[in-house]
Amino acid sequence: MVFMGDHEAPAESVAASWEDPALAGGILCIDLAALVANWRDIARANTGAETAAVVKADAYGLGMEPVAKALVKAGCRTFFVALPQEGAALKRALPSARVFVLSGLPRGEAGFFQRHQILPVLNSIAEVEEWAAFCREREVRLPAALHVDTGMNRLGLAPDEARRLAERGELLRRFRPELIMSHLACADEPGHEMNARQKALFDEIRALFPQMPASLANSAASLVWPEWEYDILRPGIALYGGNPFSGRPNPMRTVATLYGTVLQVREVRRGETVGYGAAWRAARDSRIAVLGLGYADGLFRCLSDTAGGPAHVFIAGQFAPYAGRISMDLAAVDVSHIPPEDLERGMRAEVMGPHVSVDELARWAGTIPYEILTSLGSRFTRLYTPTGE
Ligand SMILES: *Cc1c(COP(=O)(O)O)cnc(C)c1O
């Protein structure tokens, strides 16, 4: 940890100071041992397949490089990212990793993939043709994946395009198709009829590409249907401790814990208000703790005004509701029920973690844990607890 404690400090030390918990408005602790244990749970439940990891969007907000390095130590070799730049960054950090780029091949950019040794997930005939042409021109057979759309209508070859492609052996032989994959729209609801429909279509298309390893399962599918494991699993959210299911208990361990620093504890008299819009009024003489993080850090403003009343934090061993609107850098909580001697400037309140789960935050905010995690801000002090290996 580098901290220059000097107002004349050069500009580089400003970045370094984010590492100092004593200065932090918010501290994000990432439990790499829990992450690895979540990954192993999925690997153990699917012993016939390789368990990869989806680390797009900076590993769902938790830090792509430390996350991927911990997983590699545990035995993970294949990663999926969304964007080419994410892939290049990951490959630079982990040269031995196999990195698939889900968003596909941008026009004219095959050279970028070759240079960085990352694999495009080819989403259309045009992308397949461009990759094959590039390989022919360079006289190399570069690896790539094929994505078949089985009902999501987002990215991927339409089933008919895939059927036609299967007949173009000369095109497929120009490169090295290492994977055929599809993505489920409703795996978070295992009872949804769409799941079986997508799987049946995937099986039909896949049979046309008999040599290619296959991949269908995201987190939810990896956990509920071991028989859908195919050759490679693509879990994301479950690794990071978010619930991959809607309406079922979360089977995963908590990975991310966010603390807000108490900047000030203040007394608010009955009838006074707290925060913008004077939206919270003290019904009695109250005590308020002001935390050093806000919506600029991913603490959604709507959390202070949810349908079931405001969301809460966990502080001094008790829950405390938000009081007034969450602002850009600050959030106030009502700690009137907590003895004043238990509260002090500089202490931490758990904003998200074992007592206030990411799933609960998501429910309050009317969203999913994916959005809570990927919205986490960039100005926390981030502490990674080691994997213990
Ligand atoms: C994001 C993503 C995943 C991971 O999904 P989770 O629900 O987070 O497990 C898998 N496959 C594709 C194509 C994705 O875009």
Side-chain angles (χ1 to χ4, degrees), residues 233-286:
L233 303 155
R234 308 190 309 270
I237 192 71
L239 307 178
Y240 310 110
N243 193 350
F245 302 111
S246 28
R248 285 194 181 198
N250 186 347
M252 312 315 293
R253 295 167 189 77
T254 299
V255 172
T257 301
L258 176 61
Y259 297 101
T261 304
V262 173
L263 304 182
Q264 188 172 106
V265 181
R266 60 190 305 129
E267 307 295 327
V268 173
R269 301 265 279 282
R270 189 166 89 93
E272 289 186 345
T273 62
V274 171
Y276 283 120
W280 187 89
R281 189 176 294 275
R284 50 176 176 152
D285 289 351
S286 301

Side-chain angles (χ1 to χ4, degrees), residues 123-124 147-150 153 156-164 205:
N123 287 313
S124 65
H147 186 175
V148 181
D149 183 82
T150 50
N153 278 309
L157 297 149
D160 269 344
E161 291 175 319
R163 289 184 192 105
R164 269 181 269 130
I205 302 289

Side-chain angles (χ1 to χ4, degrees), residues 360-373:
E360 194 170 16
L361 274 181
R363 251 189 324 274
W364 277 321
T367 183
I368 51 177
Y370 302 69
E371 191 179 12
I372 298 288
L373 291 178

Side-chain angles (χ1 to χ4, degrees), residues 54 56 60 102 154 181 183 218-220 234-238 370:
V54 180
K56 60 194 180 189
Y60 292 44
L102 292 165
R154 216 172 48 166
M181 58 168 273
H183 192 44
N218 60 0
S219 296
R234 308 190 309 270
I237 192 71
Y370 302 69

Side-chain angles (χ1 to χ4, degrees), residues 138-222:
R138 301 288 167 105
E139 297 181 347
V140 279
R141 279 184 74 230
L142 298 169
L146 296 179
H147 186 175
V148 181
D149 183 82
T150 50
M152 194 150 184
N153 278 309
R154 216 172 48 166
L155 290 175
L157 297 149
D160 269 344
E161 291 175 319
R163 289 184 192 105
R164 269 181 269 130
L165 178 64
E167 288 162 13
R168 297 177 64 183
E170 90 296 344
L171 189 62
L172 293 168
R173 273 190 298 277
R174 291 213 191 112
F175 64 101
R176 201 143 50 78
E178 283 198 3
L179 185 67
I180 183 164
M181 58 168 273
S182 192
H183 192 44
L184 296 166
C186 304
D188 60 312
E189 296 174 61
H192 199 293
E193 47 87 26
M194 188 139 178
N195 292 309
R197 205 145 37 85
Q198 284 195 268
K199 180 185 188 295
L201 186 51
F202 184 61
D203 283 337
E204 182 211 315
I205 302 289
R206 187 189 157 228
L208 305 173
F209 301 85
Q211 314 302 334
M212 268 181 235
S215 173
L216 181 63
N218 60 0
S219 296
S222 303

